[in-house]
Amino acid sequence: MSDNPRDYRSPPDLLHDRIILITGAGDGIGRTAALSFAEHGARTILLGRTQAKLEAVYDEIVAGGWPRPSIAVMDFATAQGDDYAQLADSMEQEFGRLDGLLHNAGILGDRSPIEHFEVSKWLEVMHVNLNTPFILTQTLLPLLQASDDASIVFTSSGVGRRGRAYWGAYAVSKFGIEGLSQVLADETSAQGRIRVNCINPGATRTAMRRAAYPGEDPETLPLPESLMGPYLYLIGPDSRGVTGQSIDCQ
Ligand code: NDP
C-alpha cells in the first residue's frame, strides 16, 4: 500500500471478526463508517441518540448480508455513570472484548464570539465532544485491553489544530480531543496492544457542515463515502504500530 492513508485500499475482509463501536452511527460520517466497517466484516455496535436512525442503519447492514450489528441508544448530553456501566456490562457479556472504538459523535454548538458565547451551550459542547469521549474510553478500556489488537480513533477538525474566530467551544473541544488522544497514546504505547489516533475528515457533505456553512452548495463537498480509506486504515489491522498520530482525510 501507499504510505499515505488517503490512498489506502482495504481488502474486502479487512475487519472480519472484529468488534467495533461507532458513536454517532445514525447519521453523517458515523453512519457511513458503520456501513463500511460492517461491509468489511466487522460486528458493529451502533451507538447514538436517535433510535429510529440507528434502526435504519441496522436494517441496511442486515440487508447487505453483513454481520448483524447491535444498537446502543444513548444521549451523551444526559447519560450518567450507570448508563456507561450498563453499556460496558452488556458488551462484556456479549463479546468479551472490543477491537475498535470510533469516537465520531459531535455537535457544533453556536458559532459566536467568545465575548458572547452562552455559558450553558459552551458546557454542553464540551461535554458531548470532549468529556464523553473520555468517559466512554475509560469505561471501555478493560474491553479494549482484552483485544489482541485494538484501535481507538478520535475525531478532530481543522479548527482543533489552529483556532479560528467564532468557532468557540467546538474548536476548543477538538483541541482537547487532540490532547486526549496524545496523552492516551503515550500511556498505552509501551504495551503496544492499543493504538490511539485522531482523524480529521475535512469539509464533508453532512448536516453538521450544512449548519456551519448554510450558504455553501453541498454539491461542492465530498460525500462521507469518499473518506473511508483513512477510516478503514486506522480502525483496521494495517495501522498496527501507528499511534499518537493525527491524520487528515483530505
Ligand atoms: P452529523 O451532525 O451529520 O452527525 C453527528 C452524529 O453525532 C449524529 O449521528 C448525531 O446523532 C450524533 N450525536 C450528536 N449529539 C449526540 C449526543 N448528544 N449523543 C449521542 N450522539 C450524538 O455530523 P458529521 O457526520 O458531519 O460529523 C461527524 C464528526 O466529524 C464530528 O465529530 C464532527 O465534529 C467531525 N467533523 C465533521 C466535519 C464535516 O465537514 N462534516 C469536518 C470536521 C470534523 P443524531 O443524528 O441522532 O442527531
Side-chain angles (χ1 to χ4, degrees), residues 24-30 48-50 53 74-77 104-107 128 155-157 170 174 200-204 206-209:
D27 211 339
I29 297 166
R49 66 178 165 182
T50 309
K53 289 187 182 183
M74 201 173 195
D75 184 342
F76 287 160
N104 161 84
I107 52 173
V128 171
T155 306
S156 183
S157 164
Y170 179 83
K174 295 299 188 181
N200 169 23
T204 311
T206 68
M208 181 186 285
R209 178 75 190 188

Side-chain angles (χ1 to χ4, degrees), residues 23-31 47-51 53-54 74-78 103-108 124 128-129 132 154-159 170 173-174 199-210 213 221 224 227 231 250:
T23 73
D27 211 339
I29 297 166
R31 170 185 168 278
L47 189 151
R49 66 178 165 182
T50 309
Q51 184 160 352
K53 289 187 182 183
L54 299 173
M74 201 173 195
D75 184 342
F76 287 160
T78 54
H103 291 288
N104 161 84
I107 52 173
L108 183 63
E124 183 191 350
V128 171
N129 290 8
T132 293
F154 291 100
T155 306
S156 183
S157 164
V159 294
Y170 179 83
S173 70
K174 295 299 188 181
I199 197 162
N200 169 23
T204 311
R205 201 186 310 173
T206 68
M208 181 186 285
R209 178 75 190 188
R210 269 197 305 286
Y213 293 90
L221 298 171
L227 312 176
Y231 277 83
Q250 303 184 47

Side-chain angles (χ1 to χ4, degrees), residues 160-244:
R161 300 191 192 135
R162 169 112 200 131
R164 228 185 298 152
Y166 318 129
W167 281 83
Y170 179 83
V172 175
S173 70
K174 295 299 188 181
F175 268 86
I177 280 295
E178 295 270 356
L180 171 60
S181 177
Q182 288 177 22
V183 170
L184 186 62
D186 203 33
E187 288 174 1
T188 51
S189 66
Q191 210 193 8
R193 292 163 74 93
I194 302 180
R195 58 190 174 284
V196 186
N197 295 286
C198 272
I199 197 162
N200 169 23
T204 311
R205 201 186 310 173
T206 68
M208 181 186 285
R209 178 75 190 188
R210 269 197 305 286
Y213 293 90
E216 183 178 62
D217 177 2
E219 299 291 320
T220 62
L221 298 171
L223 288 164
E225 284 76 1
S226 69
L227 312 176
M228 287 301 119
Y231 277 83
L232 288 162
Y233 169 69
L234 280 186
I235 211 75
D238 287 331
S239 58
R240 202 165 196 161
V242 175
T243 197

Side-chain angles (χ1 to χ4, degrees), residues 5-129:
R6 285 181 231 176
D7 303 329
Y8 177 69
R9 297 280 173 272
S10 52
D13 61 348
L14 178 80
L15 303 175
H16 178 67
D17 266 352
R18 292 195 175 228
I19 318 290
I20 301 179
L21 187 147
I22 303 106
T23 73
D27 211 339
I29 297 166
R31 170 185 168 278
T32 302
L35 292 169
S36 177
F37 295 169
E39 184 179 7
H40 286 81
R43 273 293 303 269
T44 48
I45 297 137
L46 313 172
L47 189 151
R49 66 178 165 182
T50 309
Q51 184 160 352
K53 289 187 182 183
L54 299 173
E55 285 172 356
V57 178
Y58 179 103
D59 289 345
E60 275 190 78
I61 290 174
V62 171
W66 307 323
R68 188 171 289 274
S70 304
I71 287 181
V73 181
M74 201 173 195
D75 184 342
F76 287 160
T78 54
Q80 298 296 315
D82 281 357
D83 301 313
Y84 293 96
Q86 267 175 30
L87 175 71
D89 282 353
S90 64
M91 285 174 55
E92 163 72 44
Q93 278 170 29
E94 193 168 355
F95 306 112
R97 69 173 206 279
L98 181 62
D99 305 305
L101 173 56
L102 173 59
H103 291 288
N104 161 84
I107 52 173
L108 183 63
D110 294 338
R111 300 281 313 280
S112 158
I114 296 291
E115 186 180 7
H116 301 301
F117 210 100
E118 204 184 302
V119 171
S120 62
K121 182 57 79 176
W122 182 281
L123 295 176
E124 183 191 350
V125 173
M126 295 302 280
H127 190 67
V128 171
N129 290 8

